[in-house]
Amino acid sequence: MEEFTQGVRFESLNLSPEILRAIAQRNIEWSTPVQAGCIPPMMDWKDVTAKAPTGTGKTFAYGIPIVEHIDPADENVQAVILAPTRELAIQITDELRLLATFKAGVRCVCLYGGQPIGRQIDTLKKRPQIVVATPGRLADHMKRRTVRVETAQTVVLDEADRMLDMGFIHDVTRLLDKMNKRRNLGLFSATISREVMDIAWVYQRDAVEITVREDEQNKPDIKQFRMEVAQNEKASTIARILEETGFDRCMAFCNTKGSTERITKFLQMEGVEAECIHGDIPQKRREQVMDRFRQGKLRVFVSTDVAARGIDVDDVDIVFNCDVPDENQDYVHRIGRTGRARRQGVAVSLIADYPAKLRIEDIAQKTRNEIIPVKFGEDGKLSVVESK
C-alpha cells in the first residue's frame, strides 16, 4: 500500500483545460494527498482502494477522473457512485456538477430515499451519464427499470466502511454483480474493515492501494474538551460558551431523535438560532436546514449521527457532543467537522452522568486523543480543571 503525505499541483496531473478551469474557480491550486494518489491510476482505468481520513478531499479524488472519462455523446450510464447517506449523495452530486461546469453535455443525477421517486424518474429521462445513489434507492429504480446501470465503466463506493456497517453489503454486491462491464472500481474509506477487504478481494483486480496517514499535515488541529454539566443545563452551557467565544458556526450531536429535539428547543429558548435534523424529519425540510447552515444563516445545527458523514462544511468553529457517542469512530467523525481546511477547531463533550464520564475516558484512550476537562471559573470564564 503506497503512502501519500503531500499533494501536487493540479496542473501537473495532465487534466483537461475544462477541469482545471472548474478547479481554479474554487481558488484551488494544490491537490490533497489522496487526490495526488488516486487521480493518476483512476485516469488509467485502474482499480483503487484508498484509505484516507474524513475531510481529505476524496470526492475530487474520484470525481475528477470520472468527469474526465465521460463521453457527452453517449447517453448511457457511464459511472455509478454509491454513498451510505442521502446527505453525502447530495454533497457528492454538487461537487461533480461543479467539476463538470465547463464540460458541455455531462449530466449527473442523485437518487436517494425520502424524495418523491417520480421526480427522480423525470431526471433519469434526461439520460444522465453519472448516477450518484444510496444503495437501497438505486436497487429500487433498477427493479422499476427506470435506470440501467450495467453500462457503467467506473463504479465508486464512497465511505465504503460506513455503507457496509449500515447493512448495505447485500445491496452493494448485487449492484456490483449487475455492473460487470466496469473498467475500474474505486473503494474510498476512512477505515479498511473486514467487509471492505472482502469486497476488494472479490471485485477488484490488481488494485492500486493508497493510504493517507493522519500525520500532522492531514490530522485536523482540534482542541478537545469535556465538561461536567447537569442533564438540564446542556443547552444553557452551549449558549454560555457561544457567548464567551463568539463562535457562530456550530454543530451539536445527539444520540437520539428526542435528544436533538430537546436540545434544539432549549437552545431556541436561550435565544440561540438553532435547528435540527434526524430520521423523522422530511427530506425537503432537512435539505432546507442544511442549506441555511451551509450559507451561514444558522448558528447551531443539531443532528443525530446520520449527518456526521453527510455534511461537508469546511469552517465549523466548534462541535458539541451533547451526548457521548456509543462508538469511538462516531466521536472521530463528529469532531472531524471542525478543524478543517488547515484551521484550528474546537470540540466540547458535555458529561451529565458517570457512564458518560467512563465513555469519554475510554474514547480518549482508544483514539489517543487528549480531552481536557474544563469548567466555568468563579469569574464565569472557562478554565482547565486541575487534576487532583
Side-chain angles (χ1 to χ4, degrees):
M1 190 174 272
E2 194 172 353
E3 286 197 349
F4 280 78
T5 56
Q6 59 186 36
V8 297
R9 283 189 175 275
F10 275 112
E11 61 194 31
S12 72
L13 292 171
N14 298 318
L15 303 177
S16 67
E18 293 88 352
I19 287 285
L20 289 174
R21 191 175 161 200
I23 294 167
Q25 265 201 338
R26 291 274 291 265
N27 296 318
I28 303 170
E29 290 181 29
W30 285 80
S31 65
T32 65
V34 71
Q35 292 160 2
C38 293
I39 290 171
M42 288 197 74
M43 288 293 289
D44 290 337
W45 297 104
K46 291 179 178 167
D47 288 347
V48 165
T49 297
K51 177 178 180 283
T54 301
T56 49
K58 285 179 276 189
T59 309
F60 273 23
Y62 60 75
I64 287 171
I66 283 175
V67 174
E68 290 281 40
H69 283 154
I70 295 299
D71 175 4
D74 182 353
E75 294 191 334
N76 290 311
V77 172
Q78 297 171 47
V80 173
I81 300 152
L82 295 176
T85 65
R86 61 192 84 179
E87 288 81 15
L88 182 58
I90 292 164
Q91 174 203 314
I92 292 165
T93 308
D94 290 344
E95 296 278 287
L96 291 175
R97 285 178 179 150
L98 181 145
L99 287 171
T101 302
F102 305 106
K103 288 265 195 180
V106 175
R107 294 177 298 281
C108 190
V109 67
C110 189
L111 309 176
Y112 53 86
Q115 185 189 49
I117 201 159
R119 195 183 310 164
Q120 294 175 359
I121 291 169
D122 288 342
T123 312
L124 287 165
K125 286 175 183 169
K126 295 174 184 169
R127 307 301 298 270
Q129 301 99 341
I130 304 172
V131 173
V132 185
T134 53
R137 181 49 67 101
L138 181 57
D140 191 10
H141 276 285
M142 288 171 68
K143 274 185 209 145
R144 294 167 181 258
R145 302 195 175 177
T146 48
V147 67
R148 297 184 62 178
V149 295
E150 59 269 23
T151 51
Q153 298 187 79
T154 297
V155 181
V156 167
L157 307 189
D158 197 352
E159 303 286 14
D161 52 346
R162 177 75 160 185
M163 192 149 42
L164 301 177
D165 283 349
M166 289 167 71
F168 285 126
I169 188 152
H170 296 302
D171 280 334
V172 168
T173 54
R174 274 197 295 270
L175 291 166
L176 288 173
D177 289 339
K178 292 261 194 245
M179 296 182 277
N180 56 7
K181 293 186 177 70
R182 66 185 176 277
R183 292 177 67 180
N184 62 343
L185 170 63
L187 297 178
F188 289 77
S189 202
T191 60
I192 303 297
S193 65
R194 176 76 252 170
E195 290 82 3
V196 174
M197 289 169 67
D198 288 346
I199 293 278
W201 186 77
V202 174
Y203 293 97
Q204 288 187 318
R205 293 290 171 268
D206 303 319
V208 176
E209 296 185 356
I210 289 145
T211 184
V212 177
R213 276 186 304 132
E214 202 169 61
D215 60 17
E216 289 314 305
Q217 186 179 357
N218 298 304
K219 190 171 185 177
D221 180 11
I222 304 169
K223 294 277 186 193
Q224 298 170 57
F225 304 101
R226 59 187 173 96
M227 274 189 90
E228 295 191 12
V229 300
Q231 189 73 39
N232 62 353
E233 291 178 358
K234 289 181 178 179
S236 59
T237 301
I238 292 172
R240 201 168 160 188
I241 290 172
L242 295 184
E243 188 179 346
E244 185 176 324
T245 60
F247 289 150
D248 53 46
R249 207 165 171 78
C250 322
M251 291 188 77
F253 286 101
C254 302
N255 290 353
T256 65
K257 297 168 188 175
S259 186
T260 62
E261 296 275 6
R262 281 193 302 277
I263 288 289
T264 304
K265 185 175 72 176
F266 287 130
L267 281 170
Q268 291 167 348
M269 288 166 64
E270 293 281 343
V272 177
E273 193 174 12
E275 291 192 51
C276 69
I277 69 166
H278 55 65
D280 286 349
I281 289 177
Q283 180 60 25
K284 188 173 181 185
R285 176 70 186 141
R286 292 168 70 166
E287 288 172 29
Q288 287 170 346
V289 172
M290 282 190 287
D291 283 344
R292 287 194 68 211
F293 185 65
R294 284 196 184 98
Q295 292 165 16
K297 296 176 180 174
L298 182 63
R299 192 173 191 187
V300 183
F301 177 88
V302 188
S303 174
T304 50
D305 283 301
V306 69
R309 291 200 178 205
I311 295 174
D312 195 14
V313 181
D314 283 339
D315 50 357
V316 175
D317 298 319
I318 186 168
V319 169
F320 292 99
N321 287 309
C322 301
D323 304 314
V324 180
D326 295 325
E327 301 292 333
N328 297 350
Q329 205 56 33
D330 285 336
Y331 177 83
V332 173
H333 288 304
R334 286 180 183 188
I335 70 166
R337 301 302 100 199
T338 184
R340 302 176 85 160
R342 306 278 170 93
R343 291 172 44 146
Q344 187 178 73
V346 179
V348 179
S349 297
L350 304 177
I351 313 298
D353 54 33
Y354 189 65
K357 184 171 183 286
L358 292 179
R359 273 294 301 131
I360 202 71
E361 287 171 355
D362 185 59
I363 287 169
Q365 183 187 0
K366 297 280 172 53
T367 62
R368 298 197 295 278
N369 280 308
E370 185 184 14
I371 305 176
I372 301 163
V374 291
K375 64 177 182 180
F376 288 115
E378 289 177 9
D379 59 356
K381 304 284 185 186
L382 279 173
S383 61
V384 175
V385 176
E386 297 297 329
S387 54
K388 294 170 184 172

